[in-house]
Amino acid sequence: MIAVYRVFQMILGVVVSLSLLYFLLSYTGSYKLTQEELQKAEILSSFADEVRTVYLTEIPTNFTHFSRYDFSSCFVEESVKDIPQIRCEDSPATASIETPVLFYPGEFVFISRDVLDYGWWTFGYAEAMPETVFVFSPDGTGASWDVMTDMVRHLPDTYGEWSIVKVEFAFCDGDYLLYPCGGRACDRGDFLSMLGSGPSGSLLPCTAAVKNSTRLVTISNSCNPQRGVCIMPPNAKGVGNAFVAGTSGPYVYKDPLDLVALAIGGSGKDRMGKTWAEKLYVYKNTILAERLPMAAKIMARRFQLIADDVQEGPVCGNVYIELAQVLATIPDTVDYDDLGKMYDLNDKLNEAKAIYGSLLDMGCERSSEGYGM
Amino acid sequence: MACEPRKGQSEIMEYILMIVFIVAAIIGFMLFLTWWNITQIQAQGFKDREDRVVALAQNMMNDYMFANGDSVFDDAKLTSVAAAGIGCDELSLIYGVDWYVNITALDMPMERKCDWNGYPNCNYWSFCTYQEHPESRSAYNFPVNVYRKATNRMSLAVMHVEVYT
């Protein structure tokens, strides 16, 4: 017969073992989750560092660490008081990212740098995107060709064997995708050369099936997109409307980067039902709306400050004053949904760029190579 | 026969002692793991602050609001930042919060703060507020170039960058 203490020993053993097992399993589970989140935060931080490095060195690179976990819901979110954060919808992991970047998530992303050159000031930014084919469906007019050229110039160049991520370009003609570079999608250089030769006949509206990694960009005077992004060519002031499938309102664009943001984002939606195109468009314009008026104020003061002191004399001084006056009229806040205000802003930016060009021509301003030592 | 309950009691005591020891060992191991993680995170925080100092310097050197490209500061741009009313609140949207930068060009025997009236006979610019006693700080000095627009010459300068928490 089993002694009472043996029964007690067995019951206690079972209870203690189960409790320990439960405790260890739950601790291991939460430890694993914590470590995963820490690693995610570390990867996001590495991404921010990599973007900064590309931005500063202008040397593009591939970022491969996103393949370790699911980062498909990650995006860069602007802040009203601090620098933007990169964060994910399904994770508490975040990282600060001070470099402006048009980011679309993927397992492997290509990071490159580009600029919007206003002459008197340059807005630098990075682009980070996974393997993508931009399929254009233009209406065959010269204006649509110009829009494509403007956009493609500001998209990454992944030419060569070294890049494991490819960003390529093709056309759509009715039910077919046209791969114009020897039956394959083109890299940026070849596609730009092709666009340089002008429109070659009209193409049928696109009805071909496209993959998720494809971004369909229709360029037409009449837009009602069922898929992808549709762009109406700009007016004489360089301002126009773009539409994204699944959203109601038009997106006013005033520079190629607006179109690039919409095209990279595409009409796919996040978990909140917002299109990636809208997210990138809003992010880009928030960042630019912070920096453009700040740069205009600083440069206006700079041109006033140096107008009297330049060695090149009063001719330069007068032009500096003229440029300062134009820059001083650039508004502090910019409403990107207002076509009229966009016309006005673009007029001022174009005028300032032209005046700055004349300063360079007269030798009043120098490129970085021209500094005296 | 009287020995049996005592033997049972002592075996139970042994058993309980062993359980207590095992539980203590497990809890000790968990505490060690937690302490290790916290230490790692604190070390990472320190490293992040050090990295931020370098990043802040690099970003300012390459920002066309301060520089002319190729990491060359422009004295007129540096002077115009404060003259345009751009303060720490505005700059924190680009560079974040809790930092201080000053730049001193080494082409004058004494430090002269640059402002609207003093330009171009000045050689010292500062941005954001220096904190006397922050919780912790990381600071570096960097050799930089400042382009003197009025004389069309380049001056050697020292850029002092601090980041606080």
Side-chain angles (χ1 to χ4, degrees):
Chain A
M1 199 178 131
I2 308 171
V4 176
Y5 78 88
R6 283 280 177 212
V7 175
F8 177 75
Q9 208 174 23
M10 279 159 56
I11 293 171
L12 186 70
V14 170
V15 170
V16 170
S17 304
L18 286 178
S19 306
L20 275 179
L21 194 65
Y22 173 76
F23 184 61
L24 280 176
L25 282 176
S26 62
Y27 181 81
T28 313
S30 71
Y31 188 78
K32 178 178 171 284
L33 277 179
T34 312
Q35 290 302 311
E36 242 180 55
E37 292 307 329
L38 284 174
Q39 284 191 28
K40 278 188 179 178
E42 191 63 34
I43 290 172
L44 291 179
S45 179
S46 305
F47 174 70
D49 290 345
E50 202 69 36
V51 168
R52 186 194 317 119
T53 305
V54 170
Y55 176 80
L56 294 172
T57 61
E58 301 181 33
I59 300 170
T61 190
N62 295 297
F63 187 80
T64 57
H65 298 306
F66 284 147
S67 56
R68 292 187 63 184
Y69 297 106
D70 179 14
F71 287 92
S72 60
S73 67
C74 299
F75 60 99
V76 182
E77 189 179 47
E78 58 281 4
S79 160
V80 288
K81 278 188 174 171
D82 205 343
I83 51 178
Q85 301 274 317
I86 179 165
R87 68 178 192 87
C88 312
E89 282 171 5
D90 54 3
S91 162
T94 61
S96 298
I97 183 161
E98 77 278 9
T99 312
V101 55
L102 293 178
F103 169 58
Y104 190 89
E107 286 195 2
F108 304 102
V109 294
F110 182 80
I111 309 173
S112 59
R113 185 202 199 237
D114 196 20
V115 294
L116 271 184
D117 188 2
Y118 291 97
W120 52 273
W121 177 61
T122 300
F123 175 60
Y125 61 93
E127 290 170 337
M129 69 175 85
E131 191 136 316
T132 309
V133 179
F134 289 91
V135 172
F136 288 98
S137 176
D139 64 3
T141 60
S144 65
W145 239 247
D146 292 342
V147 170
M148 276 193 290
T149 307
D150 270 355
M151 283 180 72
V152 176
R153 273 195 192 127
H154 289 277
L155 284 165
D157 186 3
T158 57
Y159 175 75
E161 295 299 315
W162 68 273
S163 177
I164 57 170
V165 179
K166 293 288 172 197
V167 176
E168 295 174 312
F169 305 90
F171 288 110
C172 181
D173 186 12
D175 291 340
Y176 303 100
L177 295 182
L178 302 178
Y179 296 111
C181 292
R184 299 183 61 187
C186 303
D187 60 58
R188 193 180 77 164
D190 290 340
F191 200 69
L192 278 173
S193 307
M194 192 177 306
L195 294 178
S197 58
S200 52
S202 61
L203 300 169
L204 293 170
C206 188
T207 50
V210 291
K211 291 191 285 188
N212 279 345
S213 62
T214 300
R215 295 284 179 274
L216 179 61
V217 181
T218 307
I219 303 165
S220 166
N221 279 313
S222 132
C223 277
N224 183 21
Q226 302 305 307
R227 295 179 300 162
V229 175
C230 182
I231 299 162
M232 296 171 79
N235 60 16
K237 293 176 184 290
V239 179
N241 282 325
F243 298 80
V244 178
T247 61
S248 53
Y251 297 89
V252 177
Y253 67 88
K254 60 158 197 2
D255 57 52
L257 197 51
D258 284 328
L259 298 178
V260 167
L262 291 171
I264 291 175
S267 54
K269 292 185 176 174
D270 66 9
R271 289 170 199 177
M272 305 298 285
K274 205 176 196 182
T275 61
W276 279 92
E278 185 178 350
K279 270 179 153 175
L280 291 186
Y281 174 87
V282 170
Y283 164 77
K284 174 260 168 183
N285 280 322
T286 307
I287 298 288
L288 190 61
E290 281 168 9
R291 300 188 184 203
L292 180 67
M294 211 188 292
K297 275 186 193 172
I298 293 172
M299 296 304 155
R301 297 300 276 180
R302 175 186 185 258
F303 296 135
Q304 282 176 348
L305 188 65
I306 61 181
D308 295 332
D309 294 319
V310 284
Q311 292 178 332
E312 291 80 4
V315 178
C316 288
N318 291 338
V319 184
Y320 276 126
I321 293 292
E322 188 189 349
L323 180 52
Q325 284 167 348
V326 173
L327 291 178
T329 60
I330 288 179
D332 276 354
T333 51
V334 186
D335 181 1
Y336 283 89
D337 297 328
D338 190 323
L339 260 177
K341 287 181 179 164
M342 284 299 101
Y343 292 158
D344 193 33
L345 180 65
N346 253 22
D347 279 346
K348 285 170 183 164
L349 291 174
N350 290 334
E351 189 182 352
K353 191 172 185 176
I355 298 172
Y356 188 81
S358 65
L359 282 169
L360 284 176
D361 293 341
M362 290 190 297
C364 310
E365 284 284 297
R366 292 167 205 279
S367 62
S368 54
E369 292 82 28
Y371 294 126
M373 294 294 288
Chain B
M1 292 299 282
C3 257
E4 271 302 301
R6 280 192 194 151
K7 190 186 166 201
Q9 263 183 346
S10 85
E11 281 192 26
I12 286 175
M13 282 304 290
E14 269 175 29
Y15 194 66
I16 289 173
L17 267 175
M18 190 181 73
I19 289 170
V20 168
F21 181 75
I22 290 172
V23 169
I26 290 171
I27 290 174
F29 182 64
M30 287 172 178
L31 286 175
F32 170 76
L33 276 183
T34 311
W35 168 82
W36 180 258
N37 273 337
I38 290 170
T39 311
Q40 291 291 97
I41 290 168
Q42 282 172 340
Q44 186 63 36
F46 176 74
K47 187 178 165 293
D48 287 348
R49 206 174 57 232
E50 298 277 301
D51 290 348
R52 200 180 152 214
V53 175
V54 179
L56 183 59
Q58 285 180 319
N59 282 328
M60 283 185 89
M61 281 181 222
N62 286 278
D63 193 329
Y64 284 85
M65 287 189 214
F66 297 94
N68 287 335
D70 288 345
S71 305
V72 175
F73 284 112
D74 180 304
D75 67 346
K77 287 183 182 178
L78 292 172
T79 309
S80 300
V81 173
I86 305 295
C88 217
D89 287 347
E90 288 83 2
L91 293 175
S92 66
L93 293 171
I94 302 175
Y95 301 113
V97 295
D98 295 329
W99 57 272
Y100 166 77
V101 167
N102 72 50
I103 298 167
T104 311
L106 305 175
D107 52 7
M108 289 184 183
M110 287 176 65
E111 241 173 46
R112 285 188 201 161
K113 191 169 170 62
C114 277
D115 55 24
W116 188 257
N117 298 319
Y119 182 85
N121 299 314
C122 56
N123 66 340
Y124 178 83
W125 301 267
S126 67
F127 305 96
C128 286
T129 316
Y130 176 75
Q131 290 185 23
E132 284 286 347
H133 303 292
E135 193 178 308
S136 58
R137 85 170 80 212
S138 293
Y140 280 107
N141 285 339
F142 300 91
V144 292
N145 292 313
V146 173
Y147 174 61
R148 297 299 214 158
K149 176 68 183 165
T151 53
N152 192 26
R153 293 189 66 82
M154 198 79 80
S155 291
L156 187 62
V158 175
M159 180 188 196
H160 177 80
V161 184
E162 293 195 7
V163 168
Y164 310 113
T165 49

